[in-house]
């Protein structure tokens, strides 16, 4: 599903993050990614989604090499990315508008989008939040709504950057249950090893530009 081959990437300040990085994620794999801050975990997700471009190497998604912006349109419809900071993901006035935005953008009717909002809120315990003003939510509530916007698209693969950071234990458990029942393929960035052990089949560590299986 995702294949990264010989990727080299540096930050704008010249700091090299990856040099010859290789990684792959197959269908129905559930994997975790951990590592120190600044190791490039989020950068890897952004390269997969075409938000950053490598200096060299190939990004192959769904069997096709992706190079140009137009190549990533399909990728962004089929892979759900949860940003590390929910404020980077949320931009609509209310919770229901946030969740409905993606489905409406891919051609769902307003009736279908309304049903998706209801179903998604039911699964994540967001009932009653639909009319809430997004920017007035707490940090944990924003993260949960950001998760809802990803889930509402029913992606083939999830890339989740610290999905349960700031969530209470009960809410994190509800999200874990959702993944177990409804998500086949995903990759989760987290520092919480216990959570990763519950949520994934195997855990990788990214350190000094290299990924290794723990």
């Amino acid at each position: 599903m995702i294949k990264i081959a010989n990727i080299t990437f540096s930050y704008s300040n010249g700091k090299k993050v990856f040099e010859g990085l290789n990684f792959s994620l197959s269908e129905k794999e559930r994997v975790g990614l951990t590592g120190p801050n600044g190791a490039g975990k989020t950068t890897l997700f952004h390269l997969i989604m075409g938000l950053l471009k490598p200096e060299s190497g190939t990004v192959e998604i769904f069997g096709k090499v992706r190079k140009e912006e137009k190549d990533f349109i399909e990728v962004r419809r089929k892979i759900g990315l949860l940003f590390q900071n929910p404020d980077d993901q949320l931009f609509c006035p209310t919770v229901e508008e946030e969740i409905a935005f993606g489905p409406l953008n891919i051609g769902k009717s307003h009736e279908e989008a309304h049903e998706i909002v209801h179903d998604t809120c039911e699964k994540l315990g967001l009932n009653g939040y639909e009319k809430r003003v997004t920017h007035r939510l707490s940090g944990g509530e924003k993260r949960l709504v950001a998760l809802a916007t990803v889930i509402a698209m029913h992606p083939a693969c999830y890339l989740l950057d610290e999905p349960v950071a700031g969530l209470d234990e009960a809410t994190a458990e509800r999200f874990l249950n959702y993944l177990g029942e409804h998500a086949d393929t995903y990759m989760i960035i987290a520092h919480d090893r216990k959570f990763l052990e519950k949520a994934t089949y195997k855990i990788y560590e990214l350190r000094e530009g290299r990924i290794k299986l723990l």
Side-chain angles (χ1 to χ4, degrees), residues 4-201:
I4 301 295
N6 298 313
I7 288 292
T8 297
F9 178 82
S10 301
Y11 291 127
S12 58
N13 63 7
K15 178 186 175 183
K16 190 172 292 294
V17 185
F18 303 130
E19 188 168 9
L21 180 72
N22 296 288
F23 179 76
S24 63
L25 180 71
S26 299
E27 189 175 357
K28 297 189 182 301
E29 277 196 305
R30 299 174 171 184
V31 306
L33 182 63
T34 190
N37 290 334
K41 301 182 297 297
T42 296
T43 300
L44 175 60
F45 276 11
H46 288 186
L47 286 165
I48 291 169
M49 299 299 290
L51 302 177
L52 294 173
K53 291 189 176 181
E55 297 164 36
S56 62
T58 58
V59 177
E60 184 180 313
I61 315 287
F62 303 123
K64 297 179 181 179
V65 174
R66 313 287 173 159
K67 293 182 178 180
E68 307 299 327
E69 176 66 19
K70 61 182 176 60
D71 298 331
F72 288 93
I73 295 173
E74 179 192 19
V75 173
R76 292 167 192 162
R77 287 187 175 182
K78 292 184 177 180
I79 295 181
L81 171 66
L82 177 74
F83 286 85
Q84 187 177 52
N85 183 352
D87 287 327
D88 292 336
Q89 194 140 11
L90 304 177
F91 52 86
C92 294
T94 67
V95 169
E96 65 180 351
E97 288 174 288
E98 290 284 5
I99 300 172
F101 179 84
L104 288 171
N105 200 43
I106 60 170
K108 298 290 186 183
S109 68
H110 285 277
E111 291 76 14
E112 289 172 321
H114 178 77
E115 185 62 32
I116 290 170
V117 170
H118 174 78
D119 183 55
T120 304
C121 287
E122 183 75 29
K123 287 173 179 173
L124 290 180
L126 284 168
N127 305 89
Y129 278 74
E130 291 87 347
K131 302 296 183 183
R132 294 275 300 273
V133 177
T134 308
H135 76 265
R136 292 180 181 172
L137 299 175
S138 69
E141 289 169 337
K142 286 181 179 180
R143 186 170 299 277
L144 199 56
V145 173
L147 282 168
T149 67
V150 175
I151 287 169
M153 295 294 287
H154 300 292
C157 174
Y158 294 80
L159 300 180
L160 305 170
D161 199 341
E162 295 287 357
V164 297
L167 301 185
D168 60 49
E169 187 174 346
T171 305
E173 191 68 26
R174 186 183 300 117
F175 173 65
L176 188 60
N177 290 338
Y178 175 86
L179 286 181
E181 294 175 8
H182 302 284
D184 289 329
T185 309
Y186 56 77
M187 187 171 180
I188 299 176
I189 292 172
H191 290 289
D192 186 341
R193 287 286 296 274
K194 288 184 178 179
F195 172 74
L196 288 180
E197 287 167 2
K198 288 182 180 180
T200 67
Y201 298 151

Side-chain angles (χ1 to χ4, degrees), residues 196-208:
L196 288 180
E197 287 167 2
K198 288 182 180 180
T200 67
Y201 298 151
K202 54 187 174 182
I203 302 172
Y204 292 93
E205 181 184 51
L206 178 57
R207 185 182 292 271
E208 296 178 352

